[in-house]
Amino acid sequence: MAVTAPGVDAVTPQDPVAGSAEASPRRLRMRLLSNRKVAVGLVILAVFLLIAIIGPLIAPYDPSRRSADILQGPSAKHWFGTTHIGQDIFSQVLDGTRSVMFVGFFAGVVATIVAVLFGVTSGYLGGAGGEGLSAVSNVFLVIPALPLIIIITTAIPTGGDWVVALVIGLTSWAWGARVLRAQTLSLRRRDFVEAARATGEPVWRIVIFEILPNLTAIIASSFVGTVIYAVMTEVALAFIGVQGLYEWNWGAILYWAQSQEALAIGAWWWFVPAGLAIALLGTALSLLNFGIDELVNPRLRSSGSAAVRDYSGRRVRLRVGFTPVLARGAGPVPAHATEIQSADIQVEDGAR
Amino acid sequence: MTTLSETASPAGGATDVVLEAEELTKHFPVRRRLRAAFSGERPAVHAVDDVALLLRRGRVTALVGESGSGKSTVARLLAQLYPRTGGAIRLHGAETTVRGGRRFRAYSGKVQMIFQDPFASLNPVHTVRYHLTRALRVHDRVGRGRAETEAALADLLAKVQLTPPQRYIDKFPHELSGGQRQRVAIARALAAGPEALLADEPVSMLDVSIRLGILNLLRDLKEQMDLAILYITHDIASARYFADETQVMYAGRMVEGGDSESVTQQPAHPYTRLLIDSAPDPDRLAAQAGGADPDQSASLDEGTGEVASLIHPPSGCRFHPRCPHAMQVCTAQVPPRFEVAGVTSRGADESGRPAHWAACWLYSPEHAGDAAGAAA
Amino acid sequence: MRYFAQRLVFYVFTAWAAVTINFFVPRLTPGNPVDSLIAEYQGQISTQAVHSLTVLFGLDKQQGIFQQYISYLGQLARGDLGISFHSFPTPVSSVLAQSLPWTVCLVGVATVLSFAIGTLLGVIVGWRRGSLADMLMPITTFFASIPYFWLALLAIAAFTGVGSFLPSAGGYDPGLVPGWNGAFVASALKHSLLPAATIIVTSVAGWLMGMRNMVVTVSSEDYVTVAHAKGLSERRVMLGYAARNAMLPSVSGFGMALGLVVGGTFLVEYVFSYPGVGLELVSAIGQKDYPLMQGIFLVITLSVLAANFLADLAYMALDPRTRREG
């Protein structure tokens, strides 16, 4: 018969295209951190988390304590100034961080859990059960969440942060569920799920250990998105005066600022810090989300603004569909230019 | 010259039957358009109709067909990944129907499958170690303690010639080449200690230079472990190289079968002849260039050339729209299997060797003469 | 056609679900303030109004729940949403009829504008990889994270005040009578500039990022390369091939955003005292005006559905794959 060639491809050196070094958990984390945007986002987030934990302890004053220093601008004594009844705004901001972070993350967790339950189950089941679950999540998707939240929280005024977080979480899961369902549907048809079945794995193991790990990026992104949304919603609710005003969340600060017409009387310091804090937190979370997006879809990474010169020394602007000639013959190619060029022709994992 | 019964009993006990399919049928229901819902008809994709297969210990049976012929469906039906519409599947002679749970696990411990796409069949987030350990664990072959597990893993990798095992055990699928991944998939199938291996186009997505290595690996494994292998492919040439027995499928039905040498060298069914002739053959091309009859192959496919629709398959023999020798009876009745006369090639003393048959009216006793003329 | 029918069925089903939720919510909340309010206003409400409120809020304990549901549906079909308490005795439907156009005009136009600007910028940013187009990302992210009521208040502080061009509150000059005359329309436009601008600034970023991501993904597809190879001008390829395909998810998102027009931006109205539906909702909540709250919620839900349905129609027109039969 023919000459056998055992182990030829067993000793073949690894295919460089196939080994794009992405999915190993260790390398994944390092990749995430090395992205500058993500690193910045994480640092800011960490600061906020720290403040949430120790804020009330390090606040110089009791945020509700009145004093005689009425409507003072920022000073050494009051870093962010004071309110119309002499309360220290800096302490209020510090104190409010805890409530905001708690509601944001708790709502995020609730919403993500529900989204995973509904989305993955409906995607994996298919058939009537799957369609039914999908219909439920579509209904929740279309019903406007904010008015519903307002109505419910008005009906249950004495709930505190838990209730608000729960309500926000239970009304904002639908979008994540929809995305997860679509992804699960496409994953379910992949061969490795069938292979796992053929190996004899039970259904629950397939869902948890085969399908879910492939969804981590989407789940993480959905979680971060929900946290952003929950923070914004909670602040908005407090600003309108819907939520209880016993705890100093940032929206409450703005509520008082608005009702006392802070801007009209020129007390900008009452107004600015809380808003900036919200914007910073939102930005940090969004940057984190971008990082996750770019990790999953390497094409999205910005190629930076390194100047690229072609072989004749002219500056070249990289754009879609255009491949500049960077070097001729056996000349050396500048290292960074190769990097940029490979970003244009990056091969996606799994492409042969 | 007589029709064969569907289940050929082996003459001797040397090669006993591991897995057997009889009258295997699978129809997939198709979503009906609103208007059709009222007319009462229920369209279905007739993916597999009346398929009979025998897998014997230590033998390779090839199932050859084009895309859409239903061969992958046959593999999944044999692996019992989804329920069949009709027919019987017998493991060691005992009929089995398993839907899930413990019985399915027991069945999958005997019958394992290898998939076509080596990248898609391995979960990209799990290492080789995870894949193999899970397969061992599900079938209780993982041993006690880490040392035994490591030994079992090393043993599996050695069987598929991925040595040294430390080099591959902790890699992710995307870090391996196509051939390596397929070896891992084979190792995963072997972890269950199966008796039958259903290989669904195991080399179709690999580079041509690597295919031989994988096929040789499968053959070595078959001999070492006395496996029964079902080799599904669209490439009839590799069937001749690798398989002992070849069956040809078209549009969900089996049209020809027999030992590989006979089927590929003296194809009886017009479809098989079409398959063989469509593979470029340097000798034939040279002969044509030298002035031999150029119309020989051109006249073979005079039909529409279109693949039969599986939702509304042609009546009678499903190949008749494309067949240059179609007769009246071909449009009316589905042909049963007829033994092909006078084409046994090798020595006739081997017992249990499958006879060469074709499901074609050309080989029925009434038309024996036409068959001889058409086989030129 | 199939796609259309599917979506239609879905929207009808959701509308029914929304109406039913609306039916159950007041019956589930503890206590029944409507009862006490009716008692308070005794004699001032017409019997007809009392009856409609009874149907809406389930005050008639003798009727079975199913019977209540039927009467509720019937009443809704007649367009009777009860009487608003805090702008007593105006019926809820006329309160809504008055305020809805303001909201739709202001926020609708602002949403359309931010969608248009954001998507166009997104296409450009996505097309030109590298360079300072990518610097735009963190900046727009920051702006997107700013709560717009905060931005709105700052804008008021910065741009309005005594003697400035832009007014700080209201939908139109208090002295004018609403009508289709030049002075009124001009005043209305002037009053809508600042609110619209703040909405646009904070929502452009979202469209921009979404579109950019899609354009980046699409521009590596083979058909774009073929278009280039055919020799088409860059702008043609960018707009006619890449943008056309990349736009599809944005269109779906736009449908949802339009839906949010009525429901989500009442903060803006609150800050600017703009006489739209959102403002009514806020005051209704403050005054515990349940009939108005319910009515507004229902209207918001139904307009979200309508907007989404329109977006689906647009999607159907844009994406030929949905028109495939069977």
Side-chain angles (χ1 to χ4, degrees):
Chain A
M1 290 287 191
V3 176
T4 58
V8 164
D9 48 334
V11 297
T12 308
Q14 276 179 36
D15 189 344
V17 172
S20 61
E22 282 269 15
S24 155
R26 241 170 299 115
R27 273 177 277 190
L28 211 136
R29 264 176 262 135
M30 277 170 40
R31 208 49 188 258
L32 196 59
L33 289 175
S34 64
N35 186 333
R36 222 176 29 192
K37 284 196 281 286
V38 172
V40 166
L42 275 178
V43 164
I44 298 179
L45 194 61
V47 167
F48 275 111
L49 273 173
L50 190 64
I51 296 179
I53 298 174
I54 65 169
L57 303 171
I58 65 167
Y61 301 91
D62 177 356
S64 316
R65 191 179 81 105
R66 304 176 180 213
S67 75
D69 307 322
I70 297 190
L71 282 178
Q72 285 184 359
S75 62
K77 193 170 160 207
H78 299 280
W79 287 2
F80 285 170
T82 59
T83 70
H84 70 300
I85 46 178
Q87 298 162 328
D88 179 32
I89 294 176
F90 182 60
S91 312
Q92 288 181 344
V93 172
L94 284 180
D95 204 46
T97 313
R98 175 180 283 192
S99 159
V100 168
M101 297 293 278
F102 172 74
V103 168
F105 278 88
F106 188 67
V109 167
V110 168
T112 308
I113 291 179
V114 177
V116 167
L117 275 174
F118 268 81
V120 176
T121 317
S122 115
Y124 191 75
L125 279 183
E131 293 282 333
L133 287 176
S134 165
V136 171
S137 50
N138 278 339
V139 167
F140 269 87
L141 191 62
V142 168
I143 289 181
L146 208 42
L148 189 60
I149 296 173
I150 292 181
I151 293 181
I152 294 180
T153 44
T154 322
I156 319 174
T158 57
D161 281 345
W162 289 89
V163 173
V164 176
L166 202 62
V167 172
I168 295 180
L170 289 176
T171 49
S172 53
W173 56 268
W175 182 251
R178 187 158 124 150
V179 173
L180 281 172
R181 173 184 148 88
Q183 276 300 108
T184 309
L185 276 176
S186 92
L187 274 178
R188 192 171 58 124
R189 285 195 202 108
R190 299 260 296 263
D191 273 352
F192 67 80
V193 173
E194 262 201 332
R197 269 215 309 153
T199 313
E201 296 267 39
V203 171
W204 65 270
R205 270 206 79 106
I206 295 183
V207 171
I208 296 183
F209 290 99
E210 304 285 335
I211 294 189
L212 270 188
N214 282 290
L215 295 173
T216 39
I218 297 181
I219 295 178
S221 168
S222 163
F223 174 73
V224 172
T226 310
V227 171
I228 298 177
Y229 171 76
V231 166
M232 293 294 185
T233 309
E234 203 224 355
V235 167
L237 284 179
F239 177 68
I240 298 181
V242 163
Q243 216 196 331
L245 300 172
Y246 305 112
E247 291 161 53
W248 280 108
N249 83 43
W250 301 334
I253 301 176
L254 291 171
Y255 171 82
W256 285 113
Q258 164 80 334
S259 60
Q260 299 302 318
E261 312 234 345
L263 289 173
I265 57 181
W268 58 270
W269 58 87
W270 201 350
F271 203 68
V272 167
L276 273 182
I278 301 170
L280 266 180
L281 181 61
T283 313
L285 290 167
S286 299
L287 288 177
L288 206 60
N289 238 351
F290 290 151
I292 298 176
D293 268 349
E294 287 180 1
L295 192 74
V296 171
N297 189 354
R299 291 195 209 104
L300 292 179
R301 290 192 201 138
S302 40
S303 21
S305 48
V308 180
R309 293 181 186 280
D310 69 1
Y311 63 94
S312 61
R314 270 180 310 199
R315 280 204 53 173
V316 150
R317 198 188 80 226
L318 294 173
R319 48 186 197 276
V320 173
F322 169 65
T323 311
V325 178
L326 296 180
R328 269 197 173 159
V333 179
H336 67 273
T338 316
E339 213 179 86
I340 292 171
Q341 197 172 24
S342 68
D344 277 342
I345 55 169
Q346 211 162 25
V347 176
E348 201 176 27
D349 281 352
R352 289 189 79 246
Chain B
M1 277 164 277
T2 52
T3 59
L4 281 178
S5 61
E6 300 292 302
T7 50
S9 44
T15 50
D16 53 330
V17 175
V18 173
L19 195 59
E20 181 185 339
E22 180 182 339
E23 289 179 19
L24 200 56
T25 307
K26 179 68 181 173
H27 295 166
F28 292 101
V30 166
R31 275 175 108 166
R32 294 178 292 182
R33 304 254 304 270
L34 205 59
R35 242 168 273 143
F38 292 112
S39 69
E41 55 173 70
R42 287 171 187 278
V45 175
H46 303 266
V48 172
D49 260 320
D50 205 12
V51 160
L53 274 179
L54 282 174
L55 298 180
R56 301 175 203 267
R57 274 230 123 87
R59 312 273 299 231
V60 180
T61 305
L63 190 58
V64 177
E66 59 193 29
S67 312
S69 58
K71 47 194 203 300
S72 291
T73 313
V74 168
R76 279 160 177 75
L77 286 175
L78 283 175
Q80 305 231 33
L81 286 176
Y82 37 69
R84 54 187 183 272
T85 314
I89 295 179
R90 296 202 184 90
L91 182 62
H92 290 301
E95 159 132 23
T96 54
T97 306
V98 290
R99 296 300 294 261
R102 225 172 332 159
R103 295 187 59 202
F104 179 78
R105 255 201 304 275
Y107 184 80
S108 70
K110 297 267 170 33
V111 177
Q112 272 293 321
M113 191 157 161
I114 303 170
F115 293 82
Q116 179 175 3
D117 185 349
F119 189 61
S121 69
L122 297 176
N123 193 333
V125 305
H126 288 315
T127 54
V128 170
R129 176 191 293 273
Y130 179 89
H131 282 106
L132 297 180
T133 313
R134 278 309 302 167
L136 287 170
R137 199 177 291 274
V138 165
H139 297 283
D140 278 328
R141 290 162 59 98
V142 77
R144 294 181 197 291
R146 280 193 58 185
E148 282 193 32
T149 312
E150 291 295 320
L153 291 174
D155 179 53
L156 273 179
L157 285 175
K159 275 205 190 109
V160 295
Q161 293 156 6
L162 286 178
T163 49
Q166 308 89 276
R167 205 163 140 204
Y168 300 98
I169 194 86
D170 284 309
K171 289 251 186 301
F172 288 94
H174 65 269
E175 293 169 325
L176 303 171
S177 73
Q180 291 166 339
R181 286 181 220 134
Q182 197 65 304
R183 285 172 193 263
V184 170
I186 295 174
R188 176 174 59 182
L190 292 178
E195 296 173 8
L197 214 52
L198 310 169
D200 184 4
E201 303 209 43
V203 294
S204 301
M205 291 191 69
L206 300 175
D207 292 336
V208 174
S209 49
I210 299 180
R211 287 183 192 180
L212 201 60
I214 300 289
L215 286 181
N216 288 336
L217 170 69
L218 283 174
R219 193 188 48 209
D220 294 338
L221 288 170
K222 170 198 81 173
E223 271 154 27
Q224 284 167 25
M225 301 169 61
D226 223 10
L227 295 170
I229 299 187
L230 176 69
Y231 172 61
I232 297 179
T233 182
H234 58 266
D235 175 15
I236 198 165
S238 68
R240 179 187 172 201
Y241 170 75
F242 181 53
D244 303 303
E245 181 186 340
T246 301
Q247 317 265 348
V248 181
M249 260 184 95
Y250 178 77
R253 304 195 76 96
M254 305 202 60
V255 297
E256 186 168 350
D259 65 286
S260 300
E261 205 55 35
S262 315
V263 171
T264 52
Q265 296 305 91
Q266 285 106 21
H269 195 280
Y271 176 63
T272 319
R273 278 202 226 130
L274 203 58
L275 275 183
I276 303 278
D277 285 330
S278 63
D281 178 4
D283 300 331
R284 197 182 71 226
L285 289 175
Q288 279 181 4
D293 183 3
D295 295 323
Q296 179 77 322
S297 42
S299 66
L300 277 185
D301 185 356
E302 283 171 0
T304 60
E306 276 178 31
V307 180
S309 152
L310 288 176
I311 300 182
H312 300 289
S315 57
C317 171
R318 290 186 182 179
F319 187 62
H320 80 254
R322 290 169 72 176
C323 186
H325 310 292
M327 305 177 287
Q328 192 55 32
V329 61
C330 302
T331 61
Q333 297 175 47
V334 174
R337 298 185 178 193
F338 296 110
E339 192 170 317
V340 174
V343 285
T344 47
S345 51
R346 283 176 283 179
D349 292 348
E350 268 184 27
S351 57
R353 196 168 47 84
H356 186 180
W357 60 268
C360 180
W361 286 113
L362 287 170
Y363 295 91
S364 71
E366 303 89 60
H367 299 97
D370 305 342
Chain C
M1 228 34 216
R2 180 88 172 282
Y3 181 73
F4 177 76
Q6 267 179 349
R7 302 308 287 163
L8 193 61
V9 165
F10 165 68
Y11 286 117
V12 166
F13 172 72
T14 313
W16 170 82
V19 162
T20 311
I21 292 179
N22 219 358
F23 172 77
F24 277 110
V25 166
R27 283 157 180 78
L28 294 175
T29 50
N32 202 331
V34 182
D35 246 339
S36 50
L37 281 168
I38 291 183
E40 194 184 314
Y41 282 97
Q42 199 75 49
Q44 291 174 330
I45 318 182
S46 67
T47 33
Q48 190 191 19
V50 172
H51 175 77
S52 75
L53 283 172
T54 311
V55 169
L56 278 177
F57 290 93
L59 302 173
D60 187 348
K61 302 299 173 214
Q62 277 134 10
Q63 267 191 332
I65 198 94
F66 190 66
Q67 187 61 29
Q68 289 182 20
Y69 187 58
I70 301 292
S71 348
Y72 168 76
L73 286 179
Q75 178 158 317
L76 279 187
R78 283 194 302 273
D80 181 357
L81 291 164
I83 306 247
S84 154
F85 279 135
H86 87 284
S87 38
F88 184 83
T90 334
V92 167
S93 34
S94 17
V95 171
L96 282 173
Q98 255 176 9
S99 44
L100 211 49
W102 288 102
T103 301
V104 171
C105 286
L106 169 70
V107 189
V109 170
T111 307
V112 169
L113 275 178
S114 60
F115 173 74
I117 297 175
T119 357
L120 198 57
L121 281 181
V123 170
I124 297 175
V125 170
W127 198 250
R128 291 170 188 265
R129 308 296 308 283
S131 80
L132 39 73
D134 276 326
M135 289 300 134
L136 217 53
M137 259 172 52
I139 300 176
T140 46
T141 315
F142 185 71
F143 273 106
S145 313
I146 298 181
Y148 40 56
F149 60 84
W150 188 77
L151 185 70
L153 287 171
L154 276 185
I156 292 179
F159 296 117
T160 69
V162 183
S164 73
F165 171 66
L166 292 168
S168 66
Y172 50 91
D173 268 337
L176 295 175
V177 175
W180 287 108
N181 50 30
F184 178 72
V185 171
S187 165
L189 278 176
K190 209 166 64 159
H191 278 81
S192 64
L193 278 179
L194 210 48
T198 52
I199 296 176
I200 292 177
V201 165
T202 49
S203 38
V204 157
W207 297 117
L208 203 155
M209 287 315 302
M211 193 61 182
R212 178 221 172 224
N213 285 352
M214 274 313 293
V215 167
V216 166
T217 310
V218 159
S219 56
S220 58
E221 301 267 354
D222 283 341
Y223 57 82
V224 170
T225 315
V226 169
H228 273 298
K230 281 200 286 193
L232 296 174
S233 74
E234 182 157 352
R235 189 198 301 179
R236 185 80 183 272
V237 180
M238 182 171 88
L239 292 177
Y241 286 74
R244 173 85 192 270
N245 282 283
M247 219 165 69
L248 296 173
S250 293
V251 169
S252 307
F254 182 58
M256 291 210 51
L258 271 189
L260 290 177
V261 157
V262 179
T265 45
F266 56 84
L267 286 171
V268 180
E269 293 178 6
Y270 178 74
V271 167
F272 285 99
S273 302
Y274 204 79
V277 169
L279 195 61
E280 294 290 342
L281 182 60
V282 173
S283 40
I285 291 170
Q287 318 245 349
K288 305 225 184 303
D289 185 351
Y290 288 96
L292 189 56
M293 273 202 289
Q294 265 210 308
I296 291 180
F297 178 67
L298 195 62
V299 165
I300 289 176
T301 311
L302 291 177
S303 36
V304 167
L305 291 177
N308 272 297
F309 187 59
L310 287 175
D312 279 347
L313 286 179
Y315 196 94
M316 239 175 70
L318 285 174
D319 187 0
R321 290 173 288 190
T322 54
R323 284 180 245 141
R324 193 183 54 197
E325 290 295 326

